[in-house]
Amino acid sequence: EIPRILKRQGTSSVDAPYEPMPPEVAVLQVQEWILRLCHTIRNQGFLNTEKLEILTGFAEDKREGFDRYTALFQNEDSDRPKWAASRALLQILQELLTRNDEIEELWADKIANSSIGASGKLNMTFVTQKASLFSPFSYGDEGQNGQRLRKFFIESQVPEIDPLMLVSVLLYHPQAAMRLEAFTLGCRILRDPNPNLQEAYKGHTESHMHLQKAMGYQFSFFQSCYKKVMYSDNDVDMMAGMLKLIQQLCEGHKVDLQDFLGEDYTAEVLNIFSMKQDEDDDDDKDNDKDDDDDQDSGEPNNIVQWTSQMLKMILVSMRSAQSWQASMEGREKQYILVQQLFETAAELVQGPNRANQALLLSNEICSDVNRLWTIVRIDEMAFRGLIQDNEDLFDSWMDLLKSMRMAEVAALKFLLSLHEEEELDADDPEYATQSEQVIEHKTMTVKRMIEELNPKVLADKIISRWNWSKEADDPKYYVEPKVDEDEEDADLAETAPRPKREVECETYLLEEQKDDCLEICAMCYSVFMAVYNAPETKQPGFKNMKIERSADSPEKIYTFNYWSANKTKMFDHFCEHINKMHNEKYLHFLFGQVEIQRGARLQRMFFFVHPSIRVLKDHPLIHRWQETCQQEVDRSSPEAQIDSFSDSVMAQYIPFVLKQYELLGNPWPFNKAGAVISTCMNTTMITTCIINAILVFQYTGSYSHHSILNMELHFESHLWIYILTFLTTIHLVFSLVWLLFHILSYRQHIINAGLDEWKEANPREVSKLNNAAFKFFLSESIFFSDGELLYNVFLVMCSFLGRYVNFLFNSVNTIDLCMNIPILYKVIQSITNSINSVAGTMVLGFCLQYIFVGYGFMVFGSGYAFADMDASTCANLLDCLKAHWDYGFRSAPVWHEPSLSSLRFTFDYMYNLSIILIMAAIISGIIIDTFADLKDEQNSIEEAQQNNCFICSLSRSELERKKVPFQAHIIQDHYMWAYARFLLYLDQEDPSNLTGPESFVKQKLKENNSTFFPNRRCIKMESGDSGESHLERVVRVRDMDDFRQPLNTIAENVEVIKKAEVQFKMELKELRNAVLGFTQILQKLSTMMASQDDDDKKKKKKKKTG
């Protein structure tokens, strides 16, 4: 129904009916109405109301505690009814900006994926489209209606305002509940990340709506109230709302907004916080003054540090309260606030933002995570004991337990966010400097985490949360904790049994409890792996790095040796136990780990595997798809292999897995499609063997002219007929069930994959799919052209004929047995793959025989026979052709006359050569060659699987030369199906929950770019013990700077060097000529001396003879 506001009367008559406005007029009407609503809220909220003075502080009225709707009817002279009215109007704005999942699905299908959405004319979600439409002054897209929209504010002589501006304006309101509604409105506006809406808040730095200072005021005021235990639930909710708004401001990893919240907003003011408390509180005036003096010098000057300080304050307060009381009052709110603080902190550093990471680490936020673990453990033990004696507290306890679990998850995700690295470009001239800074920061991060996080608590949480998860429902999968009585935290390893009330709880369901425990287990596992296996720990300077610590730093500092001891004793104990109970790949179904290449550096990423994979661990159809993918993936090159794998996962694996997961919601047995198909396949194979064995040994008689329906003639006993009837009935029933569940499991998957291929092949005809009839016929043609479906239909037909026509039809089902034997499957595949070539060769053979028949008719006066048939008496050409096609491929012509003329000899020779030898050899050769190719291909695939990493394409020898065990590498570091599950996780996860590297990979997938896979690289090889090349690469690059000046000098003197080279060559040539001249002279001298010696010898000889 169209609202009255979007209707107008067709004529000026009072009784005229209201008609809907044209769309463009309706849009303008809604915009004007929203903007006037914002003006009303601002006007009523601040009418005769003093704004917060953030330079001098404001005394909050602590007696506030009323229902907004009741207050609407109170005294008109009071401020409260006006404030309540404003808050009620704010709720209208909030509802207008609420996300509607049904509408969002339609928007995503019709708009976001269309050319309009791709062009950027409309937002990707409907809620952001509404927010941008309702905030024309902030969004910067007033369009043609801008002048009209401003007209009201110009005439009223007030500044423009829209919902986005209203958020910052209302932060100056003195009532916490009003500020809470403002933060809620801001969160609705930024529900889905939108750069334009987020960037608009950067302009809120004016005196009447300075976003940073207003937020700083909220932090400071809440801190003051919290320390004095003077805060209300409204204050806590207001803080949580503000933190949520800060989180959503940074969604999408907006580095500029992260920097905006991390910069000093007090730069132009020496001190903006001079907090003063309620003047009525006379008892604490002196203390308040002292506290204010302390605040003047100790408060943060940016939102990032405020977040960390607020977290530390709350956790210290919670820990302190545990020492003297065990009360659940207000505890849930505290955990919710802690959760929001960690989520906000994570969003402030994700991307990553190195400056904000350094700010939080310098505030020793990792120690706060340790403190949270201690608080959770103490609360869990204390309150579980408390509710045993007080059943009325049970509901409160379950709400508290859920908030505790969520706080733990948020803290662990934050720790993983600290491991994010920036994307560096190796071609950047500043790459060496940037790399050194990144590695120095990462090394400092890992050093702090090792010294501030307790590895024993991490390892204990892995085991205890595993035992509380669904994985340990069967007691045989329970992991016994390693308890060391000498340890201070020995009790952390013990897993208390879950009380019966928690099992039967309806507000926090048992399945949710188990899933949350498994997620905590996964996150703890990931943090331990990320810290302990960080390549920075192998850097020479890691051990000598000193961390500057504050005065209130934790007394206990952990060491890498302590981490190593707990890894050996606790972490490895858990992993070995799981591998022993299941297998070494089992944890990949739960805890995901991959390496990606982001820029010039490799990064290790961890993720909690999607529920579909966790539930379908043993699904036979998914395993079958994986085996098929390994056989069919393109292995022509490492790049082609990864591209083919990535495309198959995105186009086939993800939709197929999600479809099987969706089927789990069906009633039995339709929720067990994989198991049913597997059972049907095994049953049909067994019955096929039994049926055909009985036929072979009990079938009597042979050829006859009786009806094929009469089977009694061929069995000596009717018992065998009854047995075969029973077995063929079973075979038919299971074949039909197999076909039905095949359709149920594969139909939508086949159609979607086929439609995607059709869209890629016919991009200009995609609009035809809007025609329901065309889409239906195209979908059905795609489905019924599926080879596996047709094969199953063929088996069902044979089974039907074998049951109701003749038992011998079951002989055809033996082909299905052969299809399940690998070597025979290859033989069948070689025949089916070469069917076109064989058919073409047979057509050629028919043509040649036709030529020979025609030639024989024209040349010979009498015909010839074949070894198996006399074809010389055929009456016409067709009969002769039939005889040749039937018998001519098996034998050569046989002549009745004994003499062999030259024509007959030539005819016989050519027929034998072309038909008997060549054609038969070609057909058999095609099949044999195809089989050989398939066999070679299979051998090469098996060899590649055994000796090459599928992901990085590094060989076994290359890895093991770098001291990286090949088997551990392909199972732990580069497990191929971990990458497939990672892509599934990215596809299904809310974009707002993705980290910086995850968003980077998702964007690459949208671009159909698979360069994020680590091609011929892995972290262990680059940072192995044998050579720290991953860490030393930057040092080597910086060492090149020492050669730059000499190289530049050489480059400048190239011409001088060339001239010197030419002159040197000329001098060498002259020297060579001189040497040759001297050589010739020496040769002449030696010749002369030799001749002279001969003359002297002759003279001496003459003297002797004389």
Side-chain angles (χ1 to χ4, degrees):
E1 183 180 353
I2 300 175
R4 174 71 175 272
I5 192 177
L6 300 181
K7 293 181 180 181
R8 63 184 178 188
Q9 287 180 310
T11 65
S12 57
S13 174
V14 177
D15 298 329
Y18 281 85
E19 299 175 352
M21 297 178 181
E24 61 277 2
V25 178
V27 168
L28 181 60
Q29 181 80 357
V30 171
Q31 283 182 299
E32 287 185 332
W33 184 74
I34 294 295
L35 296 178
R36 293 191 182 205
L37 191 62
C38 293
H39 168 68
T40 303
I41 294 170
R42 178 180 61 180
N43 186 44
Q44 289 297 308
F46 289 101
L47 186 63
N48 298 325
T49 300
E50 182 183 0
K51 286 187 177 182
L52 290 177
E53 294 291 341
I54 62 174
L55 296 178
T56 59
F58 181 83
E60 181 81 27
D61 183 3
K62 290 301 162 186
R63 289 165 295 182
E64 170 193 332
F66 58 93
D67 183 85
R68 61 171 61 90
Y69 302 108
T70 304
L72 286 172
F73 305 100
Q74 292 181 358
N75 186 358
E76 293 289 337
D77 295 332
S78 172
D79 286 337
R80 294 186 182 276
K82 294 183 301 182
W83 295 353
S86 296
R87 284 153 52 190
L89 293 176
L90 273 170
Q91 283 206 324
I92 294 176
L93 286 179
Q94 293 168 15
E95 287 301 316
L96 287 170
L97 293 167
T98 300
R99 183 185 181 92
N100 184 300
D101 292 336
E102 184 178 352
I103 294 178
E104 291 297 341
E105 289 180 7
L106 291 172
W107 185 273
D109 184 48
K110 303 295 183 182
I111 303 298
N113 295 327
S114 67
S115 58
I116 299 177
S119 65
K121 294 180 180 179
L122 294 176
N123 288 287
M124 300 304 290
T125 61
F126 183 62
V127 68
T128 52
Q129 182 64 30
K130 289 191 294 184
S132 59
L133 180 68
F134 296 162
S135 304
F137 305 133
S138 299
Y139 193 71
D141 187 18
E142 302 172 28
Q144 300 176 353
N145 299 328
Q147 185 175 359
R148 180 171 173 178
L149 294 174
R150 292 180 184 275
K151 182 179 179 182
F152 167 77
F153 297 98
I154 294 172
E155 292 176 351
S156 303
Q157 297 184 353
V158 293
E160 299 101 347
I161 192 167
D162 57 32
L164 193 143
M165 293 178 177
L166 187 63
V167 175
S168 295
V169 169
L170 290 179
L171 297 186
Y172 286 73
H173 198 278
Q175 190 186 41
M178 185 75 79
R179 300 197 296 272
L180 172 60
E181 298 292 353
F183 285 128
T184 304
L185 176 61
C187 293
R188 297 286 175 87
I189 293 173
L190 299 179
R191 169 61 181 83
D192 295 326
N194 182 283
N196 291 330
L197 293 173
Q198 291 169 300
E199 291 284 344
Y201 278 104
K202 288 179 62 180
H204 293 190
T205 56
E206 301 175 10
S207 59
H208 66 285
M209 57 173 190
H210 197 296
L211 183 65
Q212 292 168 295
K213 292 181 180 179
M215 287 181 172
Y217 173 86
Q218 312 301 328
F219 276 118
S220 180
F221 181 80
F222 182 78
Q223 176 179 265
S224 178
C225 295
Y226 194 89
K227 287 181 177 179
K228 296 176 175 61
V229 197
M230 296 173 60
Y231 62 93
S232 65
D233 286 347
N234 271 343
D235 294 317
V236 176
D237 293 338
M238 182 269 297
M239 278 301 301
M242 184 177 72
L243 290 166
K244 184 66 176 179
L245 179 61
I246 295 172
Q247 176 188 348
Q248 291 185 325
L249 277 172
C250 301
E251 286 289 1
H253 320 301
K254 302 289 295 181
V255 177
D256 50 348
L257 280 162
Q258 291 172 333
D259 292 337
F260 172 70
L261 294 169
E263 66 186 18
D264 183 0
Y265 54 74
T266 65
E268 74 278 11
V269 182
L270 293 178
N271 175 28
I272 68 167
F273 297 114
S274 179
M275 296 291 296
K276 60 182 182 180
Q277 294 301 313
D278 195 336
E279 295 179 359
D280 294 337
D281 192 0
D282 297 329
D283 297 336
D284 294 331
K285 279 186 178 180
D286 296 334
N287 293 337
D288 290 354
K289 183 177 179 181
D290 294 339
D291 291 341
D292 292 342
D293 292 338
D294 291 340
Q295 285 178 341
D296 290 345
S297 59
E299 290 188 338
N301 56 15
N302 61 74
I303 303 303
V304 176
Q305 286 182 313
W306 264 120
T307 303
S308 177
Q309 181 163 313
M310 192 64 56
L311 179 64
K312 188 182 297 290
M313 178 191 72
I314 294 172
L315 290 173
V316 169
S317 171
M318 294 172 69
R319 183 68 184 92
S320 176
Q322 288 177 331
S323 61
W324 60 274
Q325 69 172 352
S327 172
M328 285 190 281
E329 184 178 358
R331 208 61 163 176
E332 181 190 354
K333 290 273 188 182
Q334 290 175 321
Y335 276 114
I336 292 174
L337 193 54
V338 168
Q339 174 194 349
Q340 186 58 64
L341 281 162
F342 274 119
E343 289 177 353
T344 302
E347 202 60 50
L348 286 168
V349 302
Q350 284 179 356
N353 188 298
R354 186 162 22 112
N356 288 351
Q357 285 179 338
L359 282 173
L360 293 175
L361 286 167
S362 64
N363 283 6
E364 298 175 344
I365 196 168
C366 294
S367 299
D368 294 330
V369 178
N370 251 357
R371 191 175 285 112
L372 173 65
W373 291 336
T374 303
I375 293 169
V376 167
R377 181 62 179 177
I378 294 174
D379 278 353
E380 208 165 335
M381 296 177 65
F383 295 140
R384 272 207 173 94
L386 186 64
I387 64 171
Q388 299 300 322
D389 302 325
N390 193 340
E391 296 183 4
D392 295 337
L393 296 176
F394 177 72
D395 291 338
S396 300
W397 158 242
M398 294 308 297
D399 294 338
L400 174 59
L401 180 62
K402 185 173 184 178
S403 64
M404 291 165 62
R405 296 285 185 257
M406 295 299 100
E408 284 189 271
V409 171
L412 292 164
K413 287 183 177 180
F414 166 74
L415 291 177
L416 290 176
S417 297
L418 292 176
H419 282 270
E420 295 182 24
E421 296 182 25
E422 299 170 53
E423 181 181 358
L424 300 179
D425 185 0
D427 297 329
D428 190 336
E430 300 298 324
Y431 170 71
T433 304
Q434 293 174 356
S435 296
E436 184 181 24
Q437 293 172 351
V438 167
I439 289 183
E440 182 180 0
H441 170 75
K442 183 70 181 296
T443 306
M444 183 270 293
T445 300
V446 174
K447 184 75 171 179
R448 277 192 175 274
M449 296 182 82
I450 283 178
E451 292 186 351
E452 296 175 14
L453 294 176
N454 189 338
K456 183 183 184 306
V457 176
L458 262 178
D460 286 339
K461 277 189 173 293
I462 294 173
I463 296 176
S464 63
R465 296 302 182 255
W466 172 274
N467 291 335
W468 269 336
S469 73
K470 192 175 182 179
E471 295 298 321
D473 281 350
D474 190 334
K476 69 179 181 181
Y477 297 133
Y478 181 89
V479 179
E480 287 292 337
K482 287 275 189 177
V483 180
D484 190 347
E485 298 297 338
D486 297 332
E487 287 284 350
E488 180 181 347
D489 300 322
D491 62 329
L492 291 175
E494 299 177 1
T495 306
R498 184 178 275 112
K500 183 179 180 181
R501 294 179 190 170
E502 293 183 17
V503 173
E504 298 173 352
C505 179
E506 296 181 357
T507 56
Y508 187 23
L509 298 177
L510 181 61
E511 286 299 316
E512 294 181 43
Q513 297 177 46
K514 292 179 179 180
D515 287 344
D516 290 342
C517 286
L518 185 61
E519 185 173 8
I520 294 172
C521 175
M523 294 296 104
C524 290
Y525 178 92
S526 301
V527 170
F528 200 106
M529 290 280 287
V531 175
Y532 185 81
N533 293 328
E536 287 74 18
T537 58
K538 298 180 176 64
Q539 191 175 9
F542 177 79
K543 293 182 180 179
N544 301 325
M545 176 178 283
K546 299 297 182 183
I547 302 295
E548 295 183 5
R549 301 194 176 277
S550 60
D552 57 347
S553 297
E555 296 180 1
K556 189 168 184 178
I557 301 298
Y558 305 99
T559 64
F560 188 76
N561 290 336
Y562 186 66
W563 276 77
S564 299
N566 280 279
K567 179 183 183 298
T568 303
K569 184 167 58 176
M570 305 287 295
F571 187 83
D572 290 347
H573 162 71
F574 170 77
C575 295
E576 290 169 2
H577 201 82
I578 299 302
N579 293 342
K580 183 179 179 180
M581 290 188 298
H582 299 284
N583 56 67
E584 57 187 359
K585 298 178 182 178
Y586 187 81
L587 285 178
H588 281 294
F589 289 106
L590 310 171
F591 315 150
Q593 172 187 339
V594 295
E595 292 178 7
I596 67 162
Q597 180 171 331
R598 190 182 185 193
R601 288 174 60 81
L602 293 180
Q603 299 183 30
R604 185 180 285 117
M605 297 171 59
F606 300 88
F607 62 98
F608 186 40
V609 176
H610 190 263
S612 60
I613 298 296
R614 304 201 305 265
V615 174
L616 301 173
K617 290 189 284 285
D618 301 320
H619 200 282
L621 299 184
I622 295 177
H623 289 176
R624 182 183 176 191
W625 187 94
Q626 292 175 347
E627 293 171 0
T628 304
C629 177
Q630 287 182 310
Q631 299 296 320
E632 296 179 353
V633 71
D634 182 3
R635 298 177 183 267
S636 57
S637 68
E639 293 79 10
Q641 178 172 278
I642 288 300
D643 287 341
S644 176
F645 174 70
S646 178
D647 292 343
S648 297
V649 169
M650 296 301 295
Q652 300 179 32
Y653 177 77
I654 293 176
F656 184 64
V657 170
L658 294 177
K659 179 62 180 178
Q660 303 311 308
Y661 185 58
E662 179 187 340
L663 292 176
L664 293 179
N666 294 338
W668 189 90
F670 300 105
N671 60 345
K672 301 289 184 182
V676 171
I677 290 177
S678 180
T679 302
C680 290
M681 292 175 65
N682 294 331
T683 304
T684 53
M685 284 192 292
I686 293 172
T687 52
T688 296
C689 292
I690 297 174
I691 290 170
N692 285 281
I694 293 174
L695 289 174
V696 168
F697 293 104
Q698 298 298 325
Y699 191 93
T700 59
S702 56
Y703 303 101
S704 63
H705 295 286
H706 64 80
S707 172
I708 62 173
L709 298 174
N710 188 358
M711 293 299 298
E712 297 180 357
L713 298 176
H714 299 286
F715 293 94
E716 296 179 354
S717 173
H718 277 75
L719 177 62
W720 293 113
I721 296 178
Y722 297 144
I723 293 174
L724 287 173
T725 301
F726 173 72
L727 291 174
T728 53
T729 302
I730 292 176
H731 191 283
L732 177 59
V733 169
F734 278 90
S735 297
L736 286 170
V737 173
W738 180 3
L739 177 62
L740 172 64
F741 276 84
H742 176 85
I743 295 173
L744 179 68
S745 301
Y746 288 95
R747 175 182 168 78
Q748 198 59 46
H749 167 66
I750 294 170
I751 291 175
N752 290 340
L755 288 177
D756 289 339
E757 292 179 4
W758 185 87
K759 290 176 184 177
E760 292 180 5
N762 306 276
R764 297 183 180 181
E765 300 180 7
V766 174
S767 59
K768 290 184 178 180
L769 294 177
N770 295 328
N771 186 323
F774 177 83
K775 185 175 182 179
F776 173 79
F777 285 111
L778 178 62
S779 300
E780 296 307 313
S781 64
I782 290 172
F783 178 64
F784 286 104
S785 62
D786 177 57
E788 191 169 356
L789 173 68
L790 298 177
Y791 175 72
N792 285 339
V793 171
F794 170 74
L795 291 179
V796 170
M797 290 175 60
C798 294
S799 182
F800 177 83
L801 294 173
R803 167 62 181 86
Y804 291 104
V805 179
N806 194 299
F807 294 142
L808 292 176
F809 277 106
N810 286 282
S811 61
V812 181
N813 290 322
T814 56
I815 294 294
D816 188 49
L817 293 176
C818 299
M819 293 287 287
N820 288 279
I821 300 174
I823 188 65
L824 296 181
Y825 173 74
K826 287 297 178 185
V827 174
I828 297 173
Q829 191 178 14
S830 66
I831 297 173
T832 56
N833 288 359
S834 59
I835 190 68
N836 293 333
S837 299
V838 171
T841 306
M842 291 175 63
V843 171
L844 176 61
F846 294 155
C847 294
L848 291 175
Q849 286 192 327
Y850 177 60
I851 293 171
F852 278 104
V853 172
Y855 182 80
F857 277 19
M858 292 185 292
V859 174
F860 301 114
S862 59
Y864 50 84
F866 294 106
D868 300 325
M869 179 185 180
D870 186 3
S872 60
T873 60
C874 55
N876 51 51
L877 180 60
L878 180 59
D879 290 340
C880 287
L881 280 175
K882 289 180 180 178
H884 278 71
W885 290 341
D886 189 8
Y887 300 97
F889 281 107
R890 288 175 276 175
S891 66
V894 178
W895 301 94
H896 296 290
E897 293 82 357
S899 61
L900 186 64
S901 65
S902 58
L903 285 174
R904 288 180 179 178
F905 172 79
T906 304
F907 185 88
D908 285 356
Y909 184 81
M910 294 302 297
Y911 191 97
N912 275 284
L913 182 64
S914 59
I915 303 297
I916 305 301
L917 297 178
I918 295 178
M919 296 306 301
I922 290 175
I923 293 174
S924 60
I926 289 172
I927 297 174
I928 293 171
D929 288 346
T930 303
F931 177 76
D933 292 341
L934 290 172
K935 190 65 178 175
D936 291 342
E937 181 182 356
Q938 181 64 28
N939 291 337
S940 65
I941 291 173
E942 291 176 358
E943 183 179 358
Q945 290 175 340
Q946 294 173 2
N947 297 300
N948 291 86
C949 173
F950 182 88
I951 298 298
C952 66
S953 297
L954 289 169
S955 66
R956 181 190 293 268
S957 58
E958 287 176 304
L959 288 164
E960 293 183 348
R961 278 200 300 269
K962 294 292 185 178
K963 299 181 180 179
V964 179
F966 178 76
Q967 202 63 24
H969 171 78
I970 62 173
I971 291 177
Q972 294 296 331
D973 301 330
H974 287 179
Y975 183 51
M976 65 178 294
W977 297 115
Y979 282 84
R981 293 158 192 164
F982 177 58
L983 300 188
L984 171 61
Y985 161 79
L986 294 180
D987 183 75
Q988 293 299 299
E989 188 66 24
D990 188 336
S992 62
N993 294 333
L994 298 179
T995 64
E998 289 170 352
S999 298
F1000 165 80
V1001 174
K1002 187 159 188 175
Q1003 182 59 35
K1004 290 291 184 184
L1005 291 172
K1006 288 182 179 178
E1007 300 169 358
N1008 199 24
N1009 185 340
S1010 59
T1011 54
F1012 61 88
F1013 282 90
N1015 187 10
R1016 301 203 57 79
R1017 295 180 64 184
C1018 80
I1019 290 178
K1020 281 187 179 178
M1021 191 175 76
E1022 295 184 355
S1023 62
D1025 296 334
S1026 60
E1028 298 164 354
S1029 58
H1030 174 69
L1031 302 168
E1032 298 294 339
R1033 183 170 61 248
V1034 176
V1035 178
R1036 293 201 301 270
V1037 172
R1038 284 189 60 81
D1039 289 343
M1040 290 297 295
D1041 292 341
D1042 299 335
F1043 294 97
R1044 285 184 180 176
Q1045 188 61 35
L1047 289 173
N1048 290 336
T1049 304
I1050 293 172
E1052 293 172 357
N1053 298 324
V1054 168
E1055 294 298 328
V1056 177
I1057 295 172
K1058 285 183 177 179
K1059 291 180 181 179
E1061 182 185 8
V1062 172
Q1063 185 176 357
F1064 182 66
K1065 286 181 178 179
M1066 293 176 62
E1067 292 177 355
L1068 281 176
K1069 187 176 181 180
E1070 292 176 357
L1071 181 61
R1072 184 179 61 182
N1073 294 333
V1075 170
L1076 290 174
F1078 284 121
T1079 303
Q1080 292 175 356
I1081 292 172
L1082 288 173
Q1083 288 177 349
K1084 290 179 180 180
L1085 287 174
S1086 62
T1087 303
M1088 292 174 61
M1089 292 177 66
S1091 60
Q1092 188 175 359
D1093 289 341
D1094 290 340
D1095 292 342
D1096 291 341
K1097 288 180 180 179
K1098 290 179 180 179
K1099 289 179 180 180
K1100 289 180 180 179
K1101 189 175 181 180
K1102 287 181 179 181
K1103 288 181 179 180
K1104 289 181 180 180
T1105 55

